[in-house]
Amino acid sequence: MNKEEIINPAGDAGIRDMLAGSGYSDKAISYFIEKTYMGDLPQADQETEMTGTCGDTMKVCLKINKNIIEDIRYQVLGCPGAVASAMAAAELVKGKPLEDARAVNDNDIFNLLEEIPDKKHHCIQLAVKTLHKTLDEYQNARS
Ligand code: FES
């Protein structure tokens, strides 16, 4: 049995069932399982961290070229809602101009996720606030 099987003996199907039972949509669960934009970005142009009131922490790494977000990664020390929200936010802003990314709000992320438990809505806020803080720090350093 490998490490993954020991930590998660029921596999992805078990995680899907558990999160669906907690009120996550299939789409939100897929964001959480696939973790497409999770990790580090070598030679990022901006890296910014933020800790939410719940104690969870996110970090956003941005690669920016001529005002466009060429690539983005989140690192998340947090719950499934935090991971799903971060992945949705990254998907939404990759390839977009900085102004469009700055205009992304909690509702945009909620619409992409389709459904997450009510008590997890602050996880969306943390993903959006961390993104905005990252963009602000990038632009402040250049103004
Ligand atoms: Fe902290 Fe989800 S519980 S971000």
Side-chain angles (χ1 to χ4, degrees):
M1 192 180 269
N2 66 32
K3 192 174 159 208
E4 175 74 15
E5 289 165 336
I6 293 167
I7 293 169
N8 176 25
D12 285 353
I15 290 179
R16 280 193 178 275
D17 286 351
M18 207 162 60
L19 292 176
S22 305
Y24 288 86
S25 69
D26 283 350
K27 198 161 173 213
I29 295 168
S30 293
Y31 278 121
F32 170 67
I33 289 177
E34 289 163 16
K35 297 181 177 59
T36 306
Y37 296 99
M38 185 74 93
D40 202 9
L41 208 49
Q43 299 174 322
D45 295 301
Q46 181 67 44
E47 295 185 349
T48 299
E49 257 183 49
M50 189 171 208
T51 299
T53 50
C54 62
D56 288 349
T57 298
M58 291 192 190
K59 180 177 176 183
V60 173
C61 306
L62 293 179
K63 193 88 191 107
I64 295 164
N65 186 17
K66 295 187 182 134
N67 207 44
I68 302 289
I69 297 178
E70 276 197 327
D71 213 350
I72 175 168
R73 292 290 181 279
Y74 271 85
Q75 290 168 32
V76 180
L77 286 174
C79 69
V83 173
S85 301
M87 298 303 99
E91 182 179 282
L92 201 55
V93 304
K94 187 177 174 185
K96 299 275 170 51
L98 298 180
E99 308 76 57
D100 291 11
R102 193 68 184 72
V104 163
N105 62 34
D106 298 354
N107 230 14
D108 298 324
I109 305 303
F110 185 75
N111 288 339
L112 265 183
L113 294 176
E114 295 175 352
E115 197 56 68
I116 65 170
D118 285 347
K119 61 178 187 287
K120 291 291 174 184
H121 287 194
H122 74 275
C123 313
I124 294 177
Q125 291 172 355
L126 181 58
V128 172
K129 279 185 186 167
T130 310
L131 174 67
H132 287 173
K133 185 180 174 196
T134 310
L135 293 166
D136 288 348
E137 287 188 359
Y138 176 79
Q139 289 181 313
N140 289 341
R142 281 154 189 82
S143 57

